[in-house]
C-alpha cells in the first residue's frame, strides 16, 4: 500500500514539474496538428456568432375591405434562440389595424432546442481549441511524451466530429422550418387573416444569409475535425509503437540488466 502511494506521489511530482515547465514552442502550429486546430478555432467562432447573433422580422400588409385605402403593416420580430411561438405581432403605434389585437397572435414553432444545441456545442469547441493550442504550444514535450493526452485528444476529436454532424444537421432542418414559418405560409396560419373583414398579404422577411453561413460553417467544422482525426491519431500510442516494440521489430535484443 505504501509503495502504491509512493508511486502516485512520484507520478504527480513528475507531472507537476512538467506542467511548471511552460515554454512557448510555435513549431506545432506549422504542423497539420496545430494548424488545423487554429482553423477549427476560427470556424467555431463563425459558427456560433452567425447563428447566435441573428435578429430578424417578418412583415404582413393588412387592409380592411370596409375601409378603402386603409393599409397598414404588422411586424413580428424574432431571433436566437428562435422561439417563434413567443414572437408576437405588433401594429404601428396608436393605430388600430382592422380592430384586431395583433399582440395576441404569434408565429408558429419553437426551434430553440436545435439552435441552442448548435451554439452551445460550438462554444464548447471554441474553448477546447484554446486549451488544446495552449497544450500544443506551451507544453509540447508534455504532450509528445504522454500516452494519455494524445489518446484523450483523439477521442475528443472523434466525438466532436460526430457531434458537428448531428448538430449541423439538426440546425439545418430547423432553419428550413424557420424559413417556412416566417415566410408566405404565415398568412394561412394567422386567424385574423382568415376572416372576411381582414385582407392580408405577405410583405417581407429579413434575409437569413448569415444563418445559411452558420450551417455551412457547421459542416465545415465537421470536415476539419474529421480530417484532423488522422493527425491526432498519429500522435497516439495506437500509431506510434513503443521503444521496446520498435527494437523487437528491428531485430534488436534488449540487454539483460546486470551484464
Amino acid at each position: 500500500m505504501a509503495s502504491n502511494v509512493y508511486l502516485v506521489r512520484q507520478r504527480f511530482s513528475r507531472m507537476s514539474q512538467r506542467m511548471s515547465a511552460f515554454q512557448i514552442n510555435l513549431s506545432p502550429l506549422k504542423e497539420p496538428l496545430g494548424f488545423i486546430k487554429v482553423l477549427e478555432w476560427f470556424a467555431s467562432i463563425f459558427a456560433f456568432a452567425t447563428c447566435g447573433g441573428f435578429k430578424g422580422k417578418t412583415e404582413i400588409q393588412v387592409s380592411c375591405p370596409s375601409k378603402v385605402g386603409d393599409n397598414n403593416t404588422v411586424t413580428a420580430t424574432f431571433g436566437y434562440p428562435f422561439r417563434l411561438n413567443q414572437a408576437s405581432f405588433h401594429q404601428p403605434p396608436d393605430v388600430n389595424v382592422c380592430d384586431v389585437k395583433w399582440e395576441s397572435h404569434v408565429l408558429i414553432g419553437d426551434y430553440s432546442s436545435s439552435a441552442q444545441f448548435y451554439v452551445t456545442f460550438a462554444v464548447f469547441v471554441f474553448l477546447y481549441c484554446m486549451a488544446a493550442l495552449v497544450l500544443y504550444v506551451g507544453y509540447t514535450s508534455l504532450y509528445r511524451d504522454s500516452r494519455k493526452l494524445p489518446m484523450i485528444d483523439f477521442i475528443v476529436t472523434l466525438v466532436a466530429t460526430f457531434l458537428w454532424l448531428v448538430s449541423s444537421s439538426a440546425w439545418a432542418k430547423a432553419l428550413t422550418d424557420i424559413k417556412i414559418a416566417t415566410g408566405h405560409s404565415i398568412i394561412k396560419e394567422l386567424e385574423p387573416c382568415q376572416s372576411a373583414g381582414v385582407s392580408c398579404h405577405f410583405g417581407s422577411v429579413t434575409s437569413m444569409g448569415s444563418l445559411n453561413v452558420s450551417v455551412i460553417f457547421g459542416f465545415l467544422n465537421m470536415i476539419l475535425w474529421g480530417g484532423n482525426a488522422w493527425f491526432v491519431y498519429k500522435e497516439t500510442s495506437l500509431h506510434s509503437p513503443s521503444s521496446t516494440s520498435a527494437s523487437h521489430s528491428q531485430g534488436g535484443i534488449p540487454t539483460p540488466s546486470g551484464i
Side-chain angles (χ1 to χ4, degrees):
M1 181 65 181
S3 60
N4 292 334
V5 173
Y6 174 76
L7 289 175
V8 171
R9 290 181 178 177
Q10 190 177 29
R11 290 178 181 177
F12 182 77
S13 177
R14 291 176 180 175
M15 182 66 70
S16 300
Q17 291 176 358
R18 291 180 179 181
M19 291 298 293
S20 62
F22 177 83
Q23 186 176 3
I24 296 179
N25 181 10
L26 298 180
S27 60
L29 299 181
K30 302 177 182 179
E31 302 174 5
L33 179 68
F35 178 71
I36 296 179
K37 190 66 67 181
V38 174
L39 295 181
E40 292 170 348
W41 183 67
F42 278 109
S44 65
I45 295 176
F46 281 101
F48 68 75
T50 52
C51 178
F54 180 83
K55 292 290 183 182
K57 64 180 180 178
T58 183
E59 297 180 343
I60 296 177
Q61 302 293 333
V62 181
S63 60
C64 309
S66 59
K67 300 178 181 179
V68 179
D70 186 12
N71 298 321
N72 291 281
T73 301
V74 294
T75 305
T77 302
F78 61 94
Y80 179 82
F82 302 100
R83 294 188 178 94
L84 301 186
N85 54 359
Q86 297 180 7
S88 59
F89 283 88
H90 295 277
Q91 54 193 0
D94 302 324
V95 176
N96 187 357
V97 180
C98 299
D99 298 324
V100 175
K101 188 177 180 181
W102 290 97
E103 287 76 9
S104 61
H105 298 280
V106 296
L107 295 172
I108 308 299
D110 182 358
Y111 307 97
S112 59
S113 59
S114 297
Q116 289 178 321
F117 173 46
Y118 179 82
V119 171
T120 302
F121 175 64
V123 171
F124 275 118
V125 168
F126 166 76
L127 296 176
Y128 178 79
C129 286
M130 287 198 301
L133 286 173
V134 170
L135 183 62
Y136 293 167
V137 174
Y139 302 96
T140 306
S141 59
L142 175 62
Y143 182 82
R144 302 286 188 185
D145 297 339
S146 174
R147 293 173 59 89
K148 294 182 179 180
L149 291 178
M151 184 61 67
I152 293 174
D153 194 17
F154 178 60
I155 294 174
V156 171
T157 301
L158 293 180
V159 173
T161 302
F162 174 73
L163 290 180
W164 272 121
L165 173 62
V166 174
S167 61
S168 300
S169 300
W171 171 230
K173 176 60 170 62
L175 178 57
T176 301
D177 295 337
I178 290 171
K179 291 179 179 179
I180 295 175
T182 57
H184 293 79
S185 63
I186 189 61
I187 302 298
K188 301 178 182 179
E189 303 293 340
L190 283 175
E191 182 180 348
C193 295
Q194 309 308 315
S195 62
V198 179
S199 177
C200 299
H201 300 278
F202 180 75
S204 63
V205 64
T206 303
S207 173
M208 300 185 189
S210 64
L211 298 183
N212 294 332
V213 171
S214 70
V215 172
I216 294 174
F217 270 101
F219 288 107
L220 176 61
N221 271 287
M222 182 198 69
I223 296 173
L224 286 174
W225 282 83
N228 197 32
W230 165 249
F231 298 103
V232 179
Y233 168 76
K234 291 173 65 177
E235 301 294 330
T236 65
S237 58
L238 299 176
H239 180 268
S240 302
S242 63
S243 58
T244 303
S245 61
S247 63
H248 280 290
S249 64
Q250 296 173 3
I253 301 177
T255 303
S257 59
I259 296 181

